[in-house]
C-alpha cells in the first residue's frame, strides 16, 4: 500500500516551481509549514507568499523574500488591493547559494514565526486575518525538495488522512478504522540533542513516531533507540553511519547486541541533507519510511515490545521536529 500521511501531516515531495496550491484546511493557529530545498548556485531571490486566493491579483498576507543583491537581506511585507504595505527587512542572509535549507513558518496568534535551519529568524505580525489565507506560493531561484503542512484542520471536503497499517503475514492491509495508527503526543520543535522522550503507556501496536532532522556536513553517525528504561534493552537501534554509507539496525537485549542488519535499496542519510522518518510499530515488526518511501522493516526481537517506554536520539544530527 502506498504511503499516506497522518492527519495534519501532509508532505509533498519534489514539487515543481512555481508552486501555488491550497493550504489543506486553510491557515490556523498552531500550524507549521516546513519547506525543504536547495538555494540555487546563482540565486538572486526567491519568495514565499501566504495568499488570500490563488490568482495573481490575490492579496498576500505575508511575503517572505530573501534577496542576494549585493546588500544581502530578507524583505517581509503584505499586499492588499494590489498595493504593497510597509516593508520590513532584516539585513542578514540565512541562506547560502548551493546549500540545502529547512525553512519553517510557525503560525501563532499574533504573528508568523520564521525559523531557518533550526534558528529563529524573524516574527512578522498579522496584517490580514490568518483565517483568510487559503494558498501557499513559492517561486524563485531554488529547488524544492518537500513542503509539509503540520497541524491545523483537515479541509472540510477531505476525509481525515491516516497512516495505513502495514500488511500482516497474510499480506492484507484491511483493518477497521478503529485499528488505524495514530500519533498521540504533541510535537516537539527543534529539540536539543541528545534527545530523550517518553512513550506514555509504552510502545503500542500501530504507534507511529515521526522524526525530522538534518545531518551536518561533518556528521559521522547518530543513533535512534527504542529503549526499555528499566533494563536498558533496545528493541530497535537505528544507526546511520555517514562515514560508511550504511544504516545499521540492531537490538540490544540482556546485555548483548544481536545480529546487524544493513541491507537497503537506498540511503537517505547524507552529510548536509535533511531527512524525515516515519517509524511505525506493528504486531510483528517495525516498518520505517524515509522521505515518504519505504526504507526497511525490522522484525521484533523483543516480543514484549510494549515495555519500550523511551525514545533516544543522539550523535551527529540536528533535530527540527519529533512526534511520539
Amino acid at each position: 500500500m502506498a504511503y499516506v500521511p497522518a492527519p495534519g501531516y501532509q508532505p509533498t515531495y519534489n514539487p515543481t516551481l512555481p508552486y501555488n496550491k491550497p493550504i489543506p484546511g486553510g491557515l490556523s493557529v498552531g500550524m507549521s509549514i516546513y519547506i525543504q530545498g536547495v538555494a540555487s548556485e546563482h540565486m538572486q531571490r526567491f519568495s514565499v507568499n501566504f495568499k488570500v486566493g490563488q490568482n495573481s491579483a490575490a492579496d498576500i498576507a505575508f511575503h517572505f523574500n530573501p534577496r542576494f543583491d549585493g546588500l544581502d537581506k530578507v524583505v517581509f511585507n503584505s499586499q492588499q488591493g494590489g498595493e504593497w504595505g510597509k516593508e520590513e527587512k532584516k539585513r542578514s542572509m540565512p541562506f547560502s547559494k548551493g546549500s540545502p535549507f529547512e525553512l519553517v513558518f510557525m503560525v501563532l496568534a499574533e504573528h508568523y514565526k520564521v525559523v531557518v535551519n533550526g534558528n529563529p529568524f524573524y516574527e512578522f505580525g498579522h496584517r490580514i486575518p490568518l483565517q483568510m489565507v487559503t494558498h501557499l506560493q513559492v517561486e524563485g531561484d531554488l529547488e524544492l525538495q518537500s513542503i509539509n503542512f503540520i497541524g491545523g484542520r483537515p479541509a472540510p471536503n477531505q476525509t481525515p488522512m491516516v497512516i495505513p497499517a502495514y500488511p500482516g503475514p497474510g499480506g492484507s492491509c484491511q483493518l477497521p478504522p478503529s485499528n488505524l495508527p495514530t500519533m498521540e503526543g504533541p510535537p516537539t520543535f527543534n529539540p536539543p540533542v541528545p534527545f530523550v522522550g517518553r512513550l506514555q503507556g509504552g510502545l503500542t501496536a500501530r504507534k507511529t513516531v515521526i522524526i525530522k532532522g538534518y545531518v551536518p556536513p561533518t556528521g559521522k553517525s547518530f543513533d535512534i533507540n527504542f529503549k526499555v528504561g528499566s533494563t536498558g534493552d533496545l528493541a530497535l537501534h537505528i544507526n546511520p553511519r555517514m562515514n560508511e554509507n550504511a544504516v545499521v539496525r540492531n537490538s540490544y537485549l540482556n546485555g548483548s547486541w544481536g545480529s546487524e542488519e544493513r541491507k537497503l535499496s537506498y540511503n537517505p542519510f547524507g552529510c548536509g541533507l535533511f531527512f524525515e522518518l516515519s517509524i511505525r510499530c506493528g504486531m510483528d515488526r517495525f516498518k520505517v519510511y524515509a522521505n515518504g518511501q519505504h526504507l526497511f522493516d525490522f522484525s521484533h526481537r523483543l516480543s514484549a515490545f510494549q515495555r519500550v517506554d523511551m525514545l533516544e536520539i543522539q550523535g551527529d544530527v540536528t533535530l527540527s521536529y519529533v512526534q511520539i
Side-chain angles (χ1 to χ4, degrees), residues 8 16 62 72 108 153 181 183 199 211 227 244 262 285 305 312 316:
T16 55
F62 180 25
D72 296 350
L108 305 178
R153 308 177 301 265
M183 295 182 296
L199 284 75
I211 301 169
K227 184 175 182 178
E244 298 180 23
R262 289 180 173 239
R285 56 182 160 161
F305 60 82
E312 291 183 340
D316 303 326

Side-chain angles (χ1 to χ4, degrees), residues 31-220:
M31 177 179 277
S32 293
I33 296 89
Y34 279 72
I35 300 174
Q36 294 178 337
V38 179
S40 167
E41 290 279 4
H42 309 288
M43 187 172 89
Q44 293 182 313
R45 62 177 61 188
F46 72 89
S47 62
V48 179
N49 295 316
F50 291 81
K51 300 185 66 176
V52 184
Q54 188 167 21
N55 65 60
S56 59
D59 287 351
I60 299 174
F62 180 25
H63 171 70
F64 176 85
N65 181 209
R67 300 177 184 176
F68 282 90
D69 55 6
L71 298 172
D72 296 350
K73 60 183 175 291
V74 180
V75 171
F76 317 89
N77 211 334
S78 61
Q79 187 183 64
Q80 300 184 63
E83 299 290 330
W84 287 106
K86 182 180 179 182
E87 187 175 274
E88 301 176 26
K89 67 180 69 172
K90 183 171 181 177
R91 293 197 180 279
S92 174
M93 179 55 68
F95 304 96
S96 299
K97 293 182 180 182
S99 296
F101 65 83
E102 181 175 66
L103 174 60
V104 183
F105 296 92
M106 302 172 70
V107 183
L108 305 178
E110 301 296 327
H111 54 255
Y112 299 88
K113 181 176 181 178
V114 184
V115 179
V116 183
N117 297 334
N119 300 309
F121 183 71
Y122 199 76
E123 295 177 354
F124 182 82
H126 295 302
R127 301 179 182 179
I128 294 176
L130 62 91
Q131 292 82 2
M132 295 176 64
V133 175
T134 59
H135 285 71
L136 180 73
Q137 180 186 56
V138 185
E139 56 187 2
D141 304 325
L142 75 163
E143 174 188 333
L144 285 177
Q145 295 176 342
S146 69
I147 296 179
N148 299 324
F149 298 96
I150 299 176
R153 308 177 301 265
N157 60 347
Q158 292 179 346
T159 56
M161 304 183 81
V162 297
I163 298 176
Y166 60 80
S172 171
C173 284
Q174 303 304 315
L175 287 173
S178 62
N179 285 341
L180 288 168
T182 60
M183 295 182 296
E184 296 169 4
T188 302
F189 294 95
N190 306 310
V193 176
F195 170 87
V196 178
R198 293 209 163 269
L199 284 75
Q200 298 299 328
L203 187 63
T204 56
R206 297 176 294 277
K207 173 77 172 175
T208 297
V209 171
I210 299 291
I211 301 169
K212 292 170 62 67
Y214 172 74
V215 179
T218 58
K220 293 181 174 60

Side-chain angles (χ1 to χ4, degrees), residues 290-311:
N291 304 335
Q293 300 180 56
H294 177 249
L295 186 62
F296 65 83
D297 289 358
F298 186 85
S299 296
H300 287 312
R301 300 177 182 179
L302 177 66
S303 56
F305 60 82
Q306 297 87 350
R307 294 173 56 207
V308 171
D309 57 0
M310 295 176 66
L311 174 69

